[in-house]
Amino acid sequence: MHKDLKTELTTPLTNLLGGSKMKLLLLLTSPILLMGCLGRTPEPEVVVTTEYQEQNIPIQERPKAVEFPPVDWFVITEENLEEKLAEIQSKTGNVVMFTITPKGYENLAIGIADLRRYVKDQQAIIAYYEEALTPDKPKDDPSTSENQ
């Protein structure tokens, strides 16, 4: 009797699926497999937060300014050569001369001017970063007023 009940239940399904027992097996096991997925817990939601940190970079003291010691310049021509040699001999005790052409002097002046420009540009960059790293004081703060 048990066999008759089984064939009674499966025969209409088998006829419906075109007689294939494999299709019947897949049809019966699919809901079981799908129900296994229902028991899974969903993955937790990932929350991304951004935190801004204040930079704590100490601002260094600026270096001491450059002070050039005085340099004695002599312009020597054919007319005053003997006189200037005697003056140098009396001041220093020996005669040593460094000479430069007028074009060399011009190039030296251009180079020094370019060096000054470079130093000023570097100072501007340093001032920019110092200002960027200095914490801002609130405008309501009385210590920021310029009248003090």
Side-chain angles (χ1 to χ4, degrees):
M1 177 127 181
H2 179 61
K3 199 168 194 168
D4 289 335
L5 182 61
K6 181 181 173 188
T7 50
E8 239 178 72
L9 291 174
T10 57
T11 304
L13 284 173
T14 319
N15 290 339
L16 181 67
L17 296 172
S20 170
K21 291 192 181 202
M22 182 59 108
K23 287 182 183 178
L24 177 63
L25 180 64
L26 285 174
L27 181 67
L28 293 175
T29 56
S30 295
I32 296 169
L33 292 173
L34 290 174
M35 287 180 67
C37 294
L38 290 176
R40 286 185 56 198
T41 58
E43 292 186 20
E45 185 177 326
V46 177
V47 178
V48 178
T49 60
T50 303
E51 293 180 18
Y52 294 97
Q53 293 183 341
E54 189 72 29
Q55 295 178 356
N56 191 10
I57 301 172
I59 297 183
Q60 300 297 317
E61 187 177 318
R62 297 248 177 144
K64 188 177 96 173
V66 177
E67 294 180 21
F68 287 99
V71 176
D72 294 330
W73 287 85
F74 297 101
V75 178
I76 300 177
T77 61
E78 290 179 22
E79 291 82 26
N80 67 358
L81 177 63
E82 296 300 323
E83 176 189 334
K84 291 297 179 181
L85 287 177
E87 184 181 339
I88 293 170
Q89 177 71 33
S90 67
K91 282 187 177 183
T92 62
N94 54 9
V95 177
V96 176
M97 293 191 317
F98 297 92
T99 60
I100 190 167
T101 63
K103 180 64 178 170
Y105 183 76
E106 181 182 333
N107 291 343
L108 180 64
I110 290 171
I112 290 174
D114 197 36
L115 182 62
R116 289 185 64 194
R117 179 213 42 91
Y118 177 79
V119 169
K120 285 184 179 184
D121 290 349
Q122 289 296 320
Q123 287 175 338
I125 291 170
I126 291 169
Y128 168 80
Y129 282 110
E130 283 178 350
E131 185 178 321
L133 292 174
T134 304
D136 294 332
K137 292 184 181 178
K139 291 184 180 184
D140 299 342
D141 189 0
S143 65
T144 60
S145 71
E146 294 178 18
N147 295 335
Q148 291 183 353

